[in-house]
Amino acid sequence: VSVDLTVRKIGMQIKTAVKQSVPFIIVVGTDEWQTKQFKVKRLADEVEVTLPIAEIPSYVRTHRDSNAK
């Protein structure tokens, strides 16, 4: 698990995650925090889904093998 709390733009944060071979990113902004729905993006194929927090662990377990390059 890695957290980027810098003030860099999201695009730069994603580029850093790709360089570090991070398999998934989860975007947590004001809207996500209020709705409790979070964007989860698989960086290997750029598939993005919106999920409630309770479903994120299951999604990651199910899809982590698809990140092999």
Side-chain angles (χ1 to χ4, degrees):
V1 174
S2 179
V3 179
D4 189 336
L5 299 175
T6 64
V7 294
R8 295 181 306 148
K9 293 185 181 211
I10 188 74
M12 292 303 294
Q13 293 181 34
I14 292 171
K15 283 182 183 181
T16 299
V18 169
K19 287 180 184 176
Q20 295 176 351
S21 298
V22 172
F24 297 90
I25 61 169
I26 301 173
V27 177
V28 182
T30 304
D31 293 340
E32 291 81 12
W33 191 254
Q34 289 175 347
T35 64
K36 304 300 183 210
Q37 297 284 319
F38 301 90
K39 293 178 185 174
V40 180
K41 185 172 186 175
R42 289 191 322 231
L43 295 181
D45 57 9
E46 299 189 3
V47 170
E48 183 176 290
V49 296
T50 301
L51 301 168
I53 196 165
E55 293 180 21
I56 293 173
S58 175
Y59 178 83
V60 169
R61 277 191 301 274
T62 302
H63 294 87
R64 67 179 162 212
D65 292 332
S66 65
N67 283 300
K69 290 185 178 182

